[in-house]
Amino acid sequence: MRFCSLGSGSGGNALVVEARGAAGTHRVLIDCGFSQRELELRLARAGLQTADLDAIFVTHEHGDHIGCAVSLARRHGLPLWMSRGTWRAIGEPDLQGLLHFARDGQRITIGALELLPYTVPHDAQEPLQLRCSASALHLGVLTDVGCSTPHLIAHLKGCDALVLECNHDRGLLAASSYPASLKARIGGRFGHLANDVAAQILDACTHAGLRHLVAAHLSLQNNRPDLVRKALAPAWGRDQDAIVVAGPEAGSGWIDLQR
Ligand SMILES: [Zn+2]
Ligand SMILES: [Zn+2]
């Protein structure tokens, strides 16, 4: 199994997860928060085209995640997974058989890939994040979450790789020129993860088998890669430079989970 962030941040998010099995190679696009043209450019940079995708999973209805998902699914006949709440929030579009409802705890199989959606606290209708598994390898994905819960920790334990939101530094957010209401939303329990909470989550999930750590969804105004690495370093317990920061433009590049 390998994965590649095509870009991460409030301007757009997309992550390709790929697994090889007896039935061939399968790829799922987790979130689709770009225009179709932009997404195609980013896929090409990862050596892919839309025809290489087997399904799309959208975590929630915010524009930086849903993006062109509906039009892309329609144009290419791609199965599109989302929660019922997300579908309602985007106006219940008719997807002519391409729509599949995802629920907390209900496994989804796409070739050799197994996706396990889990509920997170975020200010969306029915947000889901994912644990992705193939051949006993596990990737935990967690962005767009306001606080830690035992439920999300349970889903991220034992992973070989984590994509973990590190949205803001509390000090930078407090000192920013954002209006008080926006600061309260971002920093609230249904907002986005502060670096120190991301570090607590990492601390609760870390184990000897965790080999890849990707920090994602960094705020351009209220965070910096050096602050993220510093915050995660104690829980990570290894070389800070080994922490990959998925940027809004460059994403992460391919990361292979093979042992
Ligand atoms: Zn987001
Ligand atoms: Zn969101």
Side-chain angles (χ1 to χ4, degrees):
M1 175 160 58
R2 62 177 190 155
F3 67 97
C4 178
S5 164
L6 304 179
S8 183
S10 57
N13 296 270
L15 178 78
V16 182
V17 183
E18 176 188 289
R20 274 185 207 134
T25 302
H26 289 82
R27 297 178 193 89
V28 176
L29 183 68
I30 301 174
D31 286 329
C32 202
F34 298 101
S35 69
Q36 204 157 310
R37 163 136 188 83
E38 182 65 30
L39 184 77
E40 281 166 3
L41 288 170
R42 288 168 185 254
L43 281 169
R45 214 169 53 199
L48 300 174
Q49 44 190 358
T50 316
D52 295 319
L53 302 174
D54 296 283
I56 305 168
F57 184 101
V58 172
T59 58
H60 64 296
E61 67 271 23
H62 292 160
D64 56 322
H65 298 265
I66 192 97
C68 68
V70 170
S71 56
L72 191 77
R74 280 182 181 145
R75 182 176 292 192
H76 296 274
L78 282 167
L80 176 55
W81 292 83
M82 66 181 78
S83 69
R84 195 175 283 273
T86 299
W87 179 65
R88 284 198 185 121
I90 61 169
E92 306 189 0
D94 179 7
L95 279 142
Q96 290 129 21
L98 298 170
L99 177 67
H100 300 268
F101 287 127
R103 281 172 52 186
D104 175 89
Q106 203 168 77
R107 289 174 201 277
I108 300 164
T109 303
I110 295 159
L113 265 174
E114 189 175 84
L115 311 181
L116 178 60
Y118 63 94
T119 298
V120 294
H122 186 55
D123 54 1
Q125 286 305 310
E126 190 186 348
L128 295 169
Q129 293 291 320
L130 286 174
R131 179 185 175 101
C132 310
S133 304
S135 316
L137 295 167
H138 307 282
L139 163 68
V141 179
L142 178 67
T143 71
D144 296 72
V145 56
C147 59
S148 181
T149 66
H151 190 60
L152 73 83
I153 297 287
H155 285 80
L156 298 180
K157 276 193 167 171
C159 285
D160 300 271
L162 285 180
V163 173
L164 180 60
E165 170 168 47
C166 295
N167 181 258
H168 59 276
D169 171 86
R170 284 182 200 276
L172 288 182
L173 178 63
S176 76
S177 58
Y178 283 14
S181 59
L182 184 57
K183 288 183 189 179
R185 195 225 128 201
I186 293 169
R189 292 179 61 77
F190 292 87
H192 288 275
L193 273 192
N195 291 346
D196 61 302
V197 184
Q200 286 166 20
I201 291 171
L202 176 64
D203 194 48
C205 305
T206 198
H207 66 117
L210 177 64
R211 286 166 294 120
H212 305 282
L213 178 58
V214 177
H217 218 303
L218 272 71
S219 165
L220 282 175
Q221 290 79 22
N222 303 318
N223 215 350
R224 295 197 311 264
D226 64 299
L227 294 174
V228 167
R229 290 197 170 94
K230 196 174 157 200
L232 297 181
W236 174 238
R238 277 162 269 175
D239 179 8
Q240 280 184 41
D241 294 335
I243 300 171
V244 175
V245 175
E249 292 303 323
S252 68
W254 283 104
I255 295 174
D256 201 325
L257 270 69
Q258 242 51 51
R259 292 193 188 100

